[in-house]
Amino acid sequence: SSAKTLVISFIGMQSQELPIKQTMNVILKPDTETLEEVVVLGYGSGKKIGSIVGSVAKVNSEKLSAKPVANAMDALQGQVSGLQVYTSSGEPGSSSSSYIRGVGSLTADNEPLYVLDGTPVSSSVMVMMNPNDFESVTVLKDASATSIYGSRAANGVIYITTKRGKIGEKAVITASGNYGTARLARRVSNPMNSTELLNYQLSHGIIKQETYDKYINSGIDTNWEDYFFKDDAPTYQANLSIQGGSNKTMYYVSGSYYFQDGITPRSEYNRYTFRSNLESRPTDWLRFGANFGATYDEQQTSLFTYQGSNNLNGGIFGTILNPTYYNPYGEDGSKLDVIPGLNRYSPYYLSDKQPSSSNTAQLDGTAFIQLNPIEGLTIRSQFGIEAYDFRQTSKRLASHPNATQGGYTYEAFRRNAKLTITNTAEYNFKIKDIHDFTILIGQEGIKNDYQRFGSETTGQSDDRLSMLEAGTAATLLGADENDLYTYQFLSFFGRINYALNDKYFADFSIRNDASSRFGKDNRNAIFMSGGLMWNMKKESFLEDVNFLSDLKLKASIGTTGNSSIGNYDHLALVGTNLYNAQGGWKINTPGNGDLGWEKQTLANIGIEASFWNKYRIELTYYNKKTSNMLMDVPVPYTSGFSSITQNVGSMTNSGVEIAVSLDLLKTKDWFVGFNMNYAYNKNKITELFYGYDEWAMPNYLVSYNVGEPVQYYMAEWAGVDPADGQQMWYIPGTDGETTKEYDEERLQQATGKKRYAPHNGGFGLNVSWKGLSLNADFAWVLGKYMVNNDYYFAANPYNFAGYNQSKDVLNEWKEPGDITDIPAYGNVMQFDTHLLENASFLRLKNISLSYTLPKNWLLPTKVIQGVRIMATARNLFTITNYKGADPELDTNLTYGAYPNTKQFTIGAELTF
């Protein structure tokens, strides 16, 4: 009764102290300090996003789970500025390629470093793991964030955090499942129908009148795209998880099954996953735990539809070239084993006679023990493992029509184990409550062992006896089928973080890495970084600016390293060979004892602002310079080799990144949010080997030119002369002069078309009303070019007479004055820039509609805590000028590739 004031507090809200009245109405405001997300950047404890000096982006589990694909990277496309993600195949279980702030190396690997719960792993975890187990994925982009990783962090870091329980959390059981179907994301080609093709072939004398009469009267008009590709390939997934915690132990346990049927014959993917994350705190000074994940998958890949295949039994070339007046179906609608007219066995029949499958058993996990002997000091030791066994089986059964000498069986086995031991000591302390220090020192060792062997036998005489032992002869396989290697890293590192009054922040890191991949004199390298951040909103002159919720200025500079080359490129090695059926010795590799680290120096400056706690924007400029590039440098063939790996040349990537998030409407029942991101990257080669200003690689269709980005190198097509229908090409070194004589070697030149797209981004919309929610995510790429090798076959009628062609051919030149891109019949289309197409695209990557049932509906059950029903579509539409099947491929040339799919799923999630 004597109390005069009342303190009202709630987790995540600002506490208020108010005088006591008879009637009080109190509204608490959000406490942005306590609500801030915590991000784990690397070693040591996590940090609040608002205190991070480096350039990072965090994607939470909601964006990753419940997507109708096995590959979690696919869901990241268009979500993070500066991160480019491409899914280059629609084959079930296929992986994605990714780049952070451009391509940092010309011939060494450009893949980011993947880290799972503190342990470096391979990018395959993004396919092998269940995305529903991900708590978040954090992308580390600048040196302040990545330099602590030193080796392999030159291409950025993708840090994956898995889910775990919480102390004192009641057990939560979540069960979910979804079912859907897949089909082609867009049309493969635009081939002529039967009438168009027959008329065209008759007009040019490709077929005779009696052939024309036979097929025009048959009424057959086969849609080969429908024949080769399914439009209802099923996909389904089931997930079950339990998470919670007692007063001393936290746990998260999950299991899942995923199946995806491919849209081509004998193409499918099955995946089984199990995860157990346990952590215990038996005393105030001791913590220990283990995160364990196991995956088993089974995969069958398309025999005829894949990048690099021009087989007419493949979906791309079969659709493009098979005449539509041939009928592959029987009277009952079933697919015939032999296709009349084509006189070829069907791909369905051959795929059954030549089965190929693989399976992988993968283990990933970490175990740690952590001590807190005194206040502020944390000592941690962690062991990590990533290991897999892979087995592949390929057969040609004895009943295969081409098995004239019997069948064959091929078996391959691979085993890889990567072990990581990390030891750190971190000390956090404050001075006078305004100086906050965190000091970290650590050591890390990585050892990777790989082994592969294969065997093949031939002469199997019965489909029921198709194992290796059933063969009558063994085949001696090449060195690629029998291989083993080991590589190791040893690292020591340290980091200091400082904050003054939560207003001024600084961090500094240093790391020494040693790699077994380099010569003994260059095995070690030191990488350092420093970063500063100014929280300007904390200044007195901005504290009372009500519309400004947050304003931060960041700057950093540092170095990272790249060692992604062969494991023994620094050594001169000998090997055995056969010469005149006699065993002998040969020099296998030239070696380079001076080989050392490729280094990158990355400078970064950015500003983050928030207005009215509803509108947020982040602007960043970066400049990344790669020096001592690891390149395959050409050498005279008289040396016995074509190239040798050296540290030569340099390159820069500079650019701008923008990220915007807007809460357009936020009420009790409504929320409307919009987000977008954009990144521009300028790539420029600044130095090559031997003092060259240009180095062309015609076999790869690219050229390296000092002062310019990596660009395509081809004969430049000038179009069709309206006067005579002949093709023209630009003559290199002239001011637009053309020739009608095709000489590939003489006409090839740098085209100015960039190999890597400079612009990319994404945007999304999130609308919710009560329990109903709509989410749409778009991804786009601008300035992307790709050689459409498929079109060389689709629009080349004289070279491929007797086959179907694109409808574009109907616009061929016929008389003087015709303006067209198709020359007069009798001209062979050449391999030139008419195939180099603009593959920029905008794709609706994911759209989902969900409804969460009101909780009061579920109260009578006393068991069910939540029910959510959802429908999702992936790759619903694509806008592009690219003529091929799929513009998303990350390659310089597409050639029969398995195209991406469009998927529709429905599902439900129950929480107990």
Side-chain angles (χ1 to χ4, degrees):
S1 60
S2 61
K4 301 297 183 181
T5 60
L6 180 66
V7 177
I8 303 173
S9 63
F10 189 78
I11 296 174
M13 311 299 285
Q14 294 179 3
S15 299
Q16 292 196 38
E17 184 175 335
L18 302 168
I20 296 177
K21 299 179 182 179
Q22 186 173 358
T23 302
M24 302 181 67
N25 183 16
V26 181
I27 299 176
L28 298 181
K29 296 181 179 180
D31 186 345
T32 56
E33 295 291 331
T34 59
L35 287 176
E36 268 193 300
E37 291 183 284
V38 173
V39 175
V40 179
L41 295 181
Y43 310 95
S45 55
K47 301 175 66 178
K48 292 182 179 179
I49 284 184
S51 66
I52 295 173
V53 175
S55 180
V56 303
K58 183 178 180 181
V59 180
N60 290 319
S61 58
E62 291 79 9
K63 289 291 185 182
L64 305 172
S65 60
K67 298 297 187 291
V69 287
N71 179 14
M73 284 302 294
D74 186 79
L76 285 176
Q77 188 180 50
Q79 296 296 314
V80 177
S81 62
L83 173 66
Q84 288 181 302
V85 179
Y86 296 107
T87 300
S88 295
S89 173
E91 183 84 65
S94 59
S95 59
S96 298
S97 58
S98 58
Y99 309 100
I100 297 176
R101 292 184 169 178
V103 175
S105 185
L106 290 178
T107 59
D109 193 12
N110 285 287
E111 184 177 78
L113 170 65
Y114 289 80
V115 180
L116 174 65
D117 288 334
T119 298
V121 293
S122 65
S123 59
S124 65
V125 300
M126 303 303 282
V127 177
M128 298 295 287
M129 286 181 62
N130 178 10
N132 290 279
D133 290 337
F134 290 12
E135 180 65 33
S136 64
V137 174
T138 305
V139 181
L140 316 182
K141 297 184 283 187
D142 74 334
S144 176
T146 64
S147 189
I148 189 68
Y149 287 104
S151 62
R152 298 174 299 160
N155 302 314
V157 179
I158 294 178
Y159 194 103
I160 305 151
T161 302
T162 57
K163 292 179 179 178
R164 62 201 66 214
K166 298 176 182 179
I167 291 292
E169 179 185 38
K170 182 182 176 182
V172 177
I173 302 172
T174 303
S176 65
N178 57 62
Y179 174 83
T181 59
R183 60 186 304 170
L184 282 169
R186 59 195 302 266
R187 292 195 63 180
V188 165
S189 183
N190 190 26
M192 298 185 198
N193 60 36
S194 292
T195 301
E196 292 167 334
L197 179 60
L198 287 167
N199 287 333
Y200 183 86
Q201 290 181 334
L202 182 65
S203 67
H204 290 297
I206 300 171
I207 59 173
K208 296 182 179 179
Q209 186 66 46
E210 54 265 33
T211 302
Y212 176 87
D213 294 339
K214 174 184 176 181
Y215 288 113
I216 199 71
N217 294 325
S218 70
I220 297 170
D221 191 12
T222 299
N223 186 325
W224 287 104
E225 183 175 289
D226 289 347
Y227 174 82
F228 285 105
F229 297 103
K230 307 172 192 174
D231 62 2
D232 58 353
T235 298
Y236 44 86
Q237 182 173 11
N239 308 284
L240 179 65
S241 68
I242 306 173
Q243 73 179 70
S246 64
N247 60 345
K248 292 184 179 295
T249 301
M250 303 178 291
Y251 58 87
Y252 173 83
V253 181
S254 76
S256 76
Y257 171 66
Y258 176 87
F259 171 79
Q260 183 181 356
D261 189 22
I263 57 175
T264 64
R266 294 191 74 94
S267 169
E268 67 176 42
Y269 182 71
N270 287 269
R271 184 188 66 197
Y272 308 81
T273 70
F274 171 78
R275 174 156 291 276
S276 175
N277 293 351
L278 300 174
E279 184 177 327
S280 183
R281 303 176 181 179
T283 69
D284 292 338
W285 54 270
L286 173 65
R287 292 172 60 184
F288 66 90
N291 294 353
F292 169 81
T295 301
Y296 176 76
D297 75 5
E298 297 172 334
Q299 185 175 27
Q300 295 187 62
T301 56
S302 176
L303 186 63
F304 302 113
T305 306
Y306 56 88
Q307 173 70 348
S309 168
N310 65 352
N311 197 305
L312 287 173
N313 282 315
I316 300 298
F317 281 91
T319 298
I320 290 173
L321 294 176
N322 283 350
T324 47
Y325 45 75
Y326 293 142
N327 185 10
Y329 302 100
E331 292 183 0
D332 60 355
S334 62
K335 296 180 175 69
L336 299 172
D337 290 342
V338 179
I339 301 173
L342 293 179
N343 298 321
R344 291 199 312 266
Y345 288 96
S346 83
Y348 294 89
Y349 175 79
L350 293 177
S351 294
D352 289 339
K353 296 296 182 179
Q354 198 169 336
S356 176
S357 63
S358 65
N359 60 74
T360 305
Q362 180 159 317
L363 170 69
D364 63 78
T366 59
F368 76 91
I369 183 169
Q370 182 173 302
L371 306 176
N372 297 94
I374 62 174
E375 184 178 357
L377 178 62
T378 302
I379 301 172
R380 182 183 177 102
S381 184
Q382 177 172 295
F383 170 76
I385 182 172
E386 182 194 22
Y388 68 82
D389 279 355
F390 171 86
R391 181 170 179 175
Q392 179 182 1
T393 302
S394 298
K395 299 180 180 182
R396 185 178 66 189
L397 301 179
S399 59
H400 191 287
N402 295 330
T404 56
Q405 302 298 319
Y408 75 76
T409 296
Y410 163 81
E411 295 274 2
F413 178 81
R414 304 175 204 165
R415 170 171 290 174
N416 191 84
K418 181 190 295 182
L419 308 178
T420 304
I421 295 179
T422 307
N423 300 296
T424 60
E426 183 182 58
Y427 185 48
N428 177 265
F429 62 94
K430 285 189 175 183
I431 300 176
K432 295 182 180 180
D433 289 330
I434 62 171
H435 302 281
D436 194 340
F437 290 89
T438 301
I439 301 174
L440 173 79
I441 58 172
Q443 172 272 333
E444 185 172 73
I446 298 175
K447 181 181 180 183
N448 193 102
D449 291 302
Y450 172 88
Q451 184 176 6
R452 170 178 179 160
F453 59 85
S455 181
E456 182 179 310
T457 63
T458 59
Q460 283 82 354
S461 58
D462 193 298
D463 288 358
R464 297 167 297 177
L465 299 171
S466 61
M467 296 179 66
L468 287 170
E469 63 180 9
T472 58
T475 302
L476 181 63
L477 301 178
D480 291 341
E481 296 294 337
N482 293 275
D483 187 24
L484 61 87
Y485 62 74
T486 296
Y487 67 81
Q488 298 181 18
F489 291 93
L490 179 62
S491 308
F492 299 90
F493 51 87
R495 182 178 64 208
I496 298 176
N497 296 100
Y498 171 69
L500 174 59
N501 210 23
D502 282 335
K503 187 185 302 183
Y504 310 106
F505 299 83
D507 66 30
F508 305 94
S509 67
I510 184 169
R511 179 169 177 131
N512 181 287
D513 276 318
S515 171
S516 62
R517 291 172 171 165
F518 300 124
K520 62 180 181 179
D521 294 331
N522 295 303
R523 192 157 290 165
N524 290 75
I526 295 177
F527 307 102
M528 297 181 288
S529 75
L532 301 171
M533 183 175 72
W534 178 19
N535 188 347
M536 300 171 67
K537 176 60 179 173
K538 294 278 188 176
E539 297 291 354
S540 58
F541 57 84
L542 289 178
E543 279 185 334
D544 296 330
V545 180
N546 295 327
F547 71 87
L548 185 65
S549 309
D550 192 23
L551 183 63
K552 295 185 178 75
L553 183 65
K554 298 181 177 183
S556 66
I557 188 169
T559 57
T560 53
N562 191 348
S563 61
S564 300
I565 56 171
N567 295 294
Y568 305 109
D569 286 356
H570 65 291
L571 296 175
L573 301 176
V574 296
T576 59
N577 67 344
L578 286 175
Y579 186 76
N580 284 339
Q582 300 293 318
W585 289 84
K586 66 174 182 177
I587 301 175
N588 262 354
T589 58
N592 179 4
D594 295 326
L595 203 60
W597 289 86
E598 178 179 282
K599 293 186 178 181
Q600 289 189 8
T601 302
L602 178 58
N604 191 95
I605 186 168
I607 187 168
E608 299 176 10
S610 175
F611 306 94
W612 295 288
N613 275 323
K614 296 193 298 182
Y615 312 123
R616 293 161 291 278
I617 184 169
E618 182 176 351
L619 303 173
T620 305
Y621 169 79
Y622 64 87
N623 187 283
K624 179 170 63 174
K625 180 177 181 180
T626 307
S627 58
N628 294 322
M629 281 195 295
L630 291 164
M631 292 188 64
D632 295 328
V633 178
V635 295
Y637 286 105
T638 53
S639 66
F641 303 96
S642 61
S643 65
I644 182 172
T645 306
Q646 297 182 27
N647 291 104
V648 294
S650 61
M651 180 171 62
T652 63
N653 285 276
S654 59
V656 177
E657 296 170 352
I658 303 173
V660 176
S661 175
L662 309 175
D663 297 343
L664 301 176
L665 177 63
K666 194 171 185 180
T667 67
K668 178 183 176 181
D669 295 329
W670 278 95
F671 176 79
V672 179
F674 174 81
N675 65 84
M676 62 82 66
N677 67 82
Y678 164 75
Y680 167 72
N681 182 77
K682 181 180 180 181
N683 172 255
K684 184 169 70 173
I685 298 169
T686 52
E687 183 184 358
L688 287 172
F689 42 82
Y690 304 147
Y692 289 175
D693 290 328
E694 178 183 8
W695 181 255
M697 292 180 292
N699 290 341
Y700 297 93
L701 304 178
V702 294
S703 174
Y704 300 153
N705 298 72
V706 172
E708 299 179 28
V710 180
Q711 57 188 295
Y712 282 95
Y713 186 82
M714 304 176 72
E716 194 161 352
W717 193 63
V720 175
D721 188 346
D724 57 11
Q726 301 299 302
Q727 297 178 82
M728 302 179 292
W729 294 271
Y730 290 109
I731 301 173
T734 66
D735 188 16
E737 294 182 25
T738 62
T739 179
K740 296 178 182 178
E741 298 293 327
Y742 184 78
D743 183 336
E744 184 177 52
E745 186 174 348
R746 184 173 66 91
L747 293 175
Q748 284 181 321
Q749 57 187 299
T751 63
K753 301 290 177 59
K754 300 177 180 66
R755 164 62 181 88
Y756 301 101
H759 307 272
N760 78 287
F763 57 93
L765 182 67
N766 180 8
V767 180
S768 62
W769 176 71
K770 295 186 176 181
L772 192 64
S773 179
L774 173 68
N775 291 276
D777 292 314
F778 295 79
W780 59 268
V781 177
L782 184 63
K784 182 179 188 294
Y785 286 87
M786 184 164 57
V787 176
N788 185 358
N789 202 159
D790 300 340
Y791 195 68
Y792 174 81
F793 297 85
N796 210 341
Y798 186 72
N799 213 28
F800 298 101
Y803 294 94
N804 202 355
Q805 293 286 281
S806 167
K807 290 180 184 288
D808 294 349
V809 172
L810 298 175
N811 296 320
E812 70 182 10
W813 187 95
K814 297 180 180 64
E815 58 184 32
D818 285 351
I819 307 298
T820 178
D821 289 336
I822 306 297
Y825 187 78
N827 281 261
V828 174
M829 300 297 288
Q830 303 295 339
F831 200 82
D832 52 38
T833 56
H834 89 278
L835 301 174
L836 182 57
E837 297 184 16
N838 188 333
S840 304
F841 65 89
L842 168 66
R843 181 162 266 175
L844 177 52
K845 200 63 190 177
N846 288 287
I847 183 169
S848 62
L849 179 66
S850 65
Y851 180 65
T852 302
L853 270 61
K855 289 188 178 294
N856 60 335
W857 292 10
L858 308 175
L859 288 177
T861 69
K862 298 182 181 180
V863 176
I864 303 175
Q865 301 298 313
V867 175
R868 186 163 66 101
I869 304 167
M870 66 206 82
T872 302
R874 171 180 174 266
N875 293 343
L876 190 59
F877 69 80
T878 304
I879 299 174
T880 182
N881 290 325
Y882 182 67
K883 296 178 182 178
D886 189 5
E888 193 176 326
L889 275 72
D890 180 25
T891 180
N892 60 339
L893 175 147
T894 178
Y895 191 48
Y898 198 126
N900 263 293
T901 58
K902 178 189 301 181
Q903 289 163 291
F904 303 90
T905 63
I906 56 174
E909 179 183 89
L910 279 72
T911 305
F912 303 92

